[in-house]
Amino acid sequence: MKMSQLLIPTLRDDPGEAETVSHRLMLRAGLIRKVAAGIYTYLPLGLRVIRKIEQIIREEMNRAGAQELLMPIASPAELWKETARWDYYGKELLRFKDRHERDFCLGPTHEEVITDLFRREVRSYRQLPLNFYQIQTKFRDEIRPRFGLMRGREFIMKDAYSFDLDEAGAKVSYQNMYDAYTRIFTRCGLTFRPVEADTGLIGGDVSHEFMVLAETGEATVVYSTEGSYAANLERAEACPPTEADTSALLPLTAVETPQRRTVEEVTAFLRVSSRQLVKTLLYRSGTESVAVLIRGDHEVNEVKLARLLQVTDVTLADPDTVQRLTGCPPGFAGPIGLQQVRILADRAVEGIKNVVVGANKADTHYQNANVGRDFSVEQFADLRNVQAGDPSSRGPGVLTLAKGIEVGQVFLLGTKYSQKMNATILDEQGKERLAIMGCYGIGVGRTAAAAIEQHHDDKGIIWPFPIAPFHVHLLTVSQSEKTTETAARLYPELENAGFEVLWDDRPDRAGVKFNDADLIGIPFQVVIGDKGLADGIVEIKIRKGGLKSRIAPHDLVDHLKTLRLEHDPSVR
RNA sequence: CGGGGCGUAGCGCAGCCCGGUAGCGCGCCUGCUUUGGGAGCAGGAUGUCGGAGGUUCAAAUCCUCUCGCCCCGACCA
């Protein structure tokens, strides 16, 4: 295509609204424009990238035996009420009424709609397994959309749903999708890592997230230095302490700790290690309050706590609630004499002796408090975030933390939706059985953003070949007839050889074209100008690495074909 | 939801404190020259100064309300 005829509004200055690399470059390279917070138009160049990623997804989903369909964006409240997610989903679900005052929402995900389809249309186990997918616009009214396509409110998602007769079959379907995702992200040129994940609002039993490792990632990934264990921090299991504290129990003593509230202040004041302090945090979930005991150098993992309590979320109690439950202001809560609430504790608290705890009295702590002797704990559980250097809970090695962008997630749902919506099928004995489901999502725009996060330099984007908007950026750097004629001859030759070519035929100066080309990041740049033609050559620059070579025009196509073998895995 | 910041030409910004009727750079349009890493000269167009209300002879500027956007946080006692 000719650049003079495409809307590619590149920007010379960084737009003020963008901070992260991918957001900035997507705006500067003319891929997207914002319409409202978290809502974007995909410009021609951006859409080509999106379509490339979608195509890879389609090919791999089809190869995995999934079938494509397309569900509506708007869905009626009735379906969501069947699963109770009409209430559960909260403000993220964008609701509206039609002209008859009937409730609708914009689909943030499509378990309800697909399960409804399934229960109406599928009767027999003979039709299973089934896997449906769509690539479609989703809407989630996020609390804080940010970073361009990374966390939008409206975004393109590939979602797939599998239906099996039994657990074993569902596991095969799950693994099948796991493998397809691995192929998809590999083909997109991403460095990623599948990690064990929490299931959140979608629900279910088993889940993995596909994380692209990048500093700007919003998720924290935990992985073992030597073993294969990897998990989202929300999920990562902490090992119980291995060494038991064998110290003799010392007598409990109350000490004054005026104005010392935080772990730092109290431990500094009492000159003890933060490992010798046990903090008492009060949490609320719905109507219930619980106290959580955690070692001073650890952090509570609220996802783990919520799962233990079997609720969707927990929040730290506000100061008034703390005052009411403990009789003291925040900073001095402790387990000794604490009434009215259940006391839960992280496993790391179980074996330590002679600890510092709050005294439930302003400006006072206890020293040498001991579990069993001075207070009791209803249940010990894994309730903390793992830390770098902790031993891996499975396999060898210690844990390392890194930031990651979640580009895909797979869930084994079990019967969560089929049960609520009564999606049954007849088995060999003619008995009705609930379908076992799985669901599988990929953020298409986020995948593009993640690719930029991983592949860029200070000049601009460096697209991996398979998802680049074009393969070859043809730059004519003179306006002479000779140059134009050469380009006009090479352009169709390249296209006939299977290259997608963007020809910068604009009457701008060379510098402008070079800078735009580097910004846009098409893998191969071909420079045609009078200087080169006088020597009988055109120039090739590989965007990644910047390697330049000079080549006779009639050898260009063959040479690029050879280069493509190196850069495009799909032609290997 | 809480905190902070920002809304002035397509983009990046100045002007605001101290009121006097809007400016700079880039981009855009015309012409000439130039033409291999963001050209030069000359001429030109473009703003309801986010919106509403108020104060004033006079408001981008002061006051009140409101909308939008960006960033951080959402309580670790």
Side-chain angles (χ1 to χ4, degrees):
Chain A
M1 299 194 80
K2 288 186 179 179
M3 216 164 153
S4 63
Q5 290 159 16
L6 271 182
L7 180 67
I8 305 176
T10 54
L11 302 174
R12 293 193 179 193
D13 299 313
D14 279 334
E17 71 184 54
E19 300 266 313
T20 52
V21 169
S22 60
H23 189 192
R24 218 169 59 220
L25 289 176
M26 278 188 166
L27 288 166
R28 276 196 61 201
L31 303 180
I32 57 169
R33 284 295 182 263
K34 186 176 68 185
V35 176
I39 299 177
Y40 291 85
T41 291
Y42 304 93
L43 301 181
L45 216 49
L47 185 61
R48 286 184 73 99
V49 173
I50 296 292
R51 293 288 184 246
K52 287 281 177 81
I53 294 169
E54 288 178 351
Q55 187 53 30
I56 289 170
I57 292 172
R58 278 203 175 87
E59 286 172 16
E60 294 302 337
M61 291 302 289
N62 292 343
R63 189 205 294 205
Q67 49 193 306
E68 186 170 7
L69 46 64
L70 187 60
M71 290 178 267
I73 294 175
S75 56
E78 285 68 46
L79 287 175
W80 293 81
K81 286 175 179 165
E82 280 192 55
T83 60
R85 283 210 291 187
W86 184 255
D87 299 319
Y88 252 16
Y89 225 105
K91 287 190 171 178
E92 237 174 271
L93 188 67
L94 186 69
R95 300 147 211 259
F96 58 98
K97 288 179 191 292
D98 69 8
R99 63 169 69 199
H100 305 292
E101 291 290 302
R102 286 187 285 242
D103 286 316
F104 276 81
C105 64
L106 293 184
T109 172
H110 279 73
E111 283 80 10
E112 281 79 359
V113 180
I114 196 74
T115 305
D116 181 54
L117 178 80
F118 179 87
R119 69 182 169 186
R120 288 168 189 275
E121 309 301 336
V122 182
R123 299 262 77 93
S124 162
Y125 75 96
R126 290 168 195 264
Q127 293 169 275
L128 300 186
L130 280 171
N131 188 328
F132 303 106
Y133 78 97
Q134 65 174 344
I135 297 175
Q136 189 243 29
T137 296
K138 296 280 186 279
F139 199 98
R140 295 180 185 174
D141 204 355
E142 295 277 349
I143 318 174
R144 184 143 95 83
R146 60 185 137 180
F147 309 152
L149 297 194
M150 201 79 89
R151 179 172 294 279
R153 291 192 292 170
E154 185 177 299
F155 60 100
I156 298 172
M157 182 180 184
K158 187 286 301 178
D159 46 326
Y161 306 89
S162 67
F163 296 86
D164 281 274
L165 181 66
D166 53 30
E167 286 287 345
K171 277 182 183 151
V172 172
S173 294
Y174 182 85
Q175 188 61 42
N176 189 25
M177 282 295 103
Y178 183 103
D179 295 341
Y181 275 35
T182 301
R183 291 196 300 269
I184 288 166
F185 295 122
T186 301
R187 283 185 60 183
C188 287
L190 295 168
T191 303
F192 65 96
R193 183 141 201 172
V195 305
E196 294 182 15
D198 186 64
T199 53
L201 274 177
I202 307 286
D205 318 312
V206 178
S207 180
H208 286 84
E209 287 165 330
F210 286 75
M211 295 285 195
V212 168
L213 301 179
E215 264 314 299
T216 44
E218 296 180 90
T220 302
V221 177
V222 174
Y223 59 93
S224 165
T225 48
E226 287 157 53
S228 60
Y229 183 66
N232 190 314
L233 179 65
E234 295 175 346
R235 178 82 183 193
E237 298 160 4
C239 289
T242 45
E243 292 167 28
D245 184 346
T246 53
S247 318
L249 301 191
L250 301 172
L252 183 71
T253 29
V255 286
E256 292 216 352
T257 50
Q259 297 299 312
R260 269 68 174 188
R261 296 160 183 277
T262 66
V263 171
E264 224 168 50
E265 289 162 359
V266 174
T267 54
F269 183 71
L270 297 175
R271 298 201 183 139
V272 296
S273 154
S274 57
R275 299 169 63 107
Q276 280 303 118
L277 180 144
V278 168
K279 52 190 175 183
T280 303
L281 302 175
L282 291 152
Y283 276 92
R284 298 198 61 116
S285 73
T287 52
E288 191 194 20
S289 296
V290 296
V292 176
L293 306 187
I294 190 107
R295 213 170 74 187
D297 59 327
H298 286 154
E299 287 182 357
V300 169
N301 180 315
E302 295 182 359
V303 173
K304 289 178 181 177
L305 177 61
R307 186 169 334 129
L308 181 71
L309 297 173
Q310 298 187 306
V311 295
T312 52
D313 66 334
V314 293
T315 50
L316 215 46
D318 57 74
D320 289 347
T321 308
V322 174
Q323 179 79 43
R324 185 167 51 76
L325 294 171
T326 66
C328 70
F332 306 97
I336 300 174
L338 192 61
Q339 306 289 326
Q340 307 174 60
V341 293
R342 297 162 61 191
I343 298 177
L344 307 173
D346 180 64
R347 287 193 300 221
V349 170
E350 194 162 7
I352 51 175
K353 307 273 171 64
N354 303 322
V355 296
V356 173
V357 297
N360 295 326
K361 185 179 162 193
D363 299 333
T364 312
H365 280 77
Y366 283 118
Q367 280 189 299
N368 304 322
N370 285 287
V371 187
R373 186 190 69 181
D374 305 314
F375 61 93
S376 56
V377 167
E378 182 185 303
Q379 188 179 357
F380 288 96
D382 176 14
L383 290 174
R384 70 176 177 96
N385 282 336
V386 298
Q387 295 175 329
D390 282 353
S392 169
S393 65
R394 266 175 282 156
V398 295
L399 300 179
T400 306
L401 271 58
K403 287 291 174 187
I405 301 164
E406 182 206 331
V407 288
Q409 187 166 14
V410 292
F411 298 83
L412 197 52
L413 293 171
T415 58
K416 175 173 168 159
Y417 295 91
S418 51
Q419 185 170 30
K420 283 181 173 146
M421 298 184 68
N422 197 32
T424 60
I425 33 176
L426 295 177
D427 67 9
E428 279 178 287
Q429 277 79 44
K431 275 197 179 141
E432 286 204 333
R433 286 167 63 163
L434 291 171
I436 313 291
M437 293 174 59
C439 71
Y440 318 93
I442 292 178
V444 177
R446 191 183 280 182
T447 299
I452 294 174
E453 292 291 341
Q454 268 186 357
H455 304 286
H456 69 272
D457 62 16
D458 55 354
K459 304 284 277 179
I461 304 169
I462 305 173
W463 287 114
F465 196 97
I467 61 171
F470 289 91
H471 301 143
V472 176
H473 203 158
L474 193 62
L475 310 177
T476 41
V477 294
S478 332
Q479 304 305 316
S480 72
E481 253 181 55
K482 192 178 178 189
T483 292
T484 310
E485 270 172 20
T486 308
R489 186 162 46 79
L490 290 173
Y491 176 79
E493 268 185 47
L494 286 164
E495 292 210 315
N496 290 335
F499 288 103
E500 295 167 4
V501 185
L502 181 65
W503 177 6
D504 191 345
D505 61 331
R506 299 175 301 174
D508 289 281
R509 297 167 67 87
V512 173
K513 297 191 179 195
F514 289 138
N515 281 306
D516 270 353
D518 286 346
L519 175 62
I520 291 169
I522 291 166
F524 302 146
Q525 296 174 14
V526 173
V527 180
I528 305 177
D530 291 349
K531 252 191 199 173
L533 291 178
D535 297 342
I537 61 103
V538 296
E539 204 174 301
I540 297 174
K541 176 177 148 185
I542 300 167
R543 177 66 180 90
K544 181 180 181 178
L547 188 70
K548 291 179 184 172
S549 50
R550 291 153 66 85
I551 192 120
H554 65 268
D555 292 332
L556 177 69
V557 170
D558 283 342
H559 193 79
L560 283 176
K561 279 183 177 168
T562 309
L563 278 176
R564 183 171 184 170
L565 293 175
E566 282 173 48
H567 289 83
D568 183 4
S570 70
V571 295
R572 262 173 220 161

